[in-house]
Structures are given as C-alpha cells and as structure tokens.
Amino acid sequence: FEMSMMGELKFFLGLQIKQENKGIYTHQQKYTEELLMKFKMEDVKPMKTSMCASNPLSKDESGKPIDQKIYKCMIESLLYLTSSRLDIMHSVCLCARFQSDPQESHQKVVKRILHYLVGTTNQCLFYKKNQDFRLAGYFDADYVEDRVERKRTSGGCYYIGPCLISWADKK
C-alpha cells in the first residue's frame, strides 16, 4: 500500500482530535451540535444530569406508543456519540432496551439526554502524555435492578495510567 503524509490528524470517523504538547484531546462537539439540530433540540434548556434516578424506566404497557423509526434513529445517533461520551453511556443503553416497543415515557427520557447534551457539547477525553503504563480496571455490577427482565447490568472502565482507554455497559 502506498501511504502519504497529509499533516496532523484533526478529524477521524466523527471524532475531532486536538494534539498538544501535554497530550491529546478527543471529542465529538461538531457531531453533538449536528445531532441536536437534527432533532430540533439545540435551543432547549440544558439539564444537569442525563437521567433522573428517581424515575426508573419500565415497559410502560399502558403508555402512549410513539413512532418506532424516530425513536430508533435517536438511539442510534446517541449510541454513536458514546464513543467519546462515557457520561451518557448508561442512560443511552437503558433507553436502547425499549426500541422494539417505544412509549412516550421512553422518548421523554431520550429527550432528557438531549437536553443534557445541550449544556455539555464541549466535553472531551484527554489522553495525557506520560510514562505511567500501569493498567487499572474498575468494574461494577447491579444485580437484578432491571425491573423489566430482572437481569444484571454491569459496567467497567479501564485505564492505562491516568488515561481512560476502554469502557463498557452490558445487560
């Protein structure tokens, strides 16, 4: 394969990259702003959290059904955003569980995530330049808090030195 040098990497697969002497910043600010415009949420009031802990999601069989296509599109867009936004990972994954039969209550939670994004479009990951290559992992499991299927939810994040390199949230 023939390779060519096109300069410093600034944009890759929707990730914006800024390289400095002290380290590398990665973020999806442009994608987040486009996402908010797509769903006409750019001028809404920002929220401080992505989800309300006192109002857990459930199947909501008595709720009002919504357009499944729009809901799936919102979830798909938010899932792509989780590649650089660990702060919304759990909320988006919870909402993704209801794609087969979304109700108005589920869409309300997704819109809250979008409200949260309005105030946090400039969030980024910072990979500090250092010599500490110690691997550390943190893991947490929530046993049967899922009120719908009574399954365990677990998540973890992994660091090399002070830099977050991988994370997961699974049911």
Side-chain angles (χ1 to χ4, degrees), residues 14 17 30 39-40 43 47 61 66-67 72 88 96 100 163:
I17 299 158
K30 183 179 179 207
F39 297 113
K40 297 174 180 51
D43 294 324
M47 294 286 207
E61 294 170 353
I66 59 164
D67 184 5
K72 281 185 174 184
I88 63 167
S100 62
C163 301

Side-chain angles (χ1 to χ4, degrees), residues 103-117:
Q103 305 295 321
E104 208 170 60
S105 61
H106 304 132
Q107 188 176 36
K108 200 173 185 180
V109 175
V110 172
K111 285 188 175 184
R112 182 182 174 112
I113 296 169
L114 293 170
H115 278 263
Y116 171 73
L117 291 174

Side-chain angles (χ1 to χ4, degrees), residues 133-139 156-166:
F133 290 105
R134 185 185 49 185
L135 178 65
Y138 302 95
F139 193 81
C157 54
Y158 308 93
Y159 294 82
I160 291 183
C163 301
L164 179 66
I165 58 164
S166 178

Side-chain angles (χ1 to χ4, degrees), residues 15-30:
L15 282 171
Q16 291 169 262
I17 299 158
K18 183 178 179 188
Q19 299 179 40
E20 294 183 352
N21 288 337
K22 57 184 177 181
I24 299 172
Y25 294 91
T26 62
H27 60 92
Q28 289 178 292
Q29 183 173 353
K30 183 179 179 207

Side-chain angles (χ1 to χ4, degrees), residues 1-137:
F1 294 98
E2 192 174 313
M3 294 179 66
S4 61
M5 183 62 170
M6 297 174 66
E8 189 175 281
L9 181 66
K10 293 185 182 193
F11 194 77
F12 181 72
L13 296 175
L15 282 171
Q16 291 169 262
I17 299 158
K18 183 178 179 188
Q19 299 179 40
E20 294 183 352
N21 288 337
K22 57 184 177 181
I24 299 172
Y25 294 91
T26 62
H27 60 92
Q28 289 178 292
Q29 183 173 353
K30 183 179 179 207
Y31 178 79
T32 304
E33 290 167 354
E34 288 171 1
L35 171 75
L36 293 168
M37 282 192 287
K38 179 180 179 179
F39 297 113
K40 297 174 180 51
M41 299 287 287
E42 68 270 19
D43 294 324
V44 298
K45 182 181 174 190
M47 294 286 207
K48 292 186 181 202
T49 59
S50 63
M51 195 170 204
C52 182
S54 64
N55 197 4
L57 281 172
S58 65
K59 277 191 176 179
D60 192 15
E61 294 170 353
S62 63
K64 181 180 175 190
I66 59 164
D67 184 5
Q68 187 180 25
K69 191 175 180 179
I70 293 171
Y71 187 81
K72 281 185 174 184
C73 185
M74 293 172 104
I75 294 297
E76 185 179 284
S77 300
L78 288 169
L79 281 170
Y80 187 72
L81 189 58
T82 62
S83 64
S84 71
R85 295 291 302 262
L86 178 61
D87 55 334
I88 63 167
M89 179 78 150
H90 185 70
S91 304
V92 173
C93 288
L94 282 176
C95 292
R97 295 178 183 178
F98 301 98
Q99 291 184 80
S100 62
D101 186 26
Q103 305 295 321
E104 208 170 60
S105 61
H106 304 132
Q107 188 176 36
K108 200 173 185 180
V109 175
V110 172
K111 285 188 175 184
R112 182 182 174 112
I113 296 169
L114 293 170
H115 278 263
Y116 171 73
L117 291 174
V118 169
T120 60
T121 56
N122 60 350
Q123 289 253 349
C124 66
L125 291 174
F126 176 63
Y127 297 98
K128 185 178 179 183
K129 220 184 243 187
N130 67 11
Q131 301 301 318
D132 181 13
F133 290 105
R134 185 185 49 185
L135 178 65

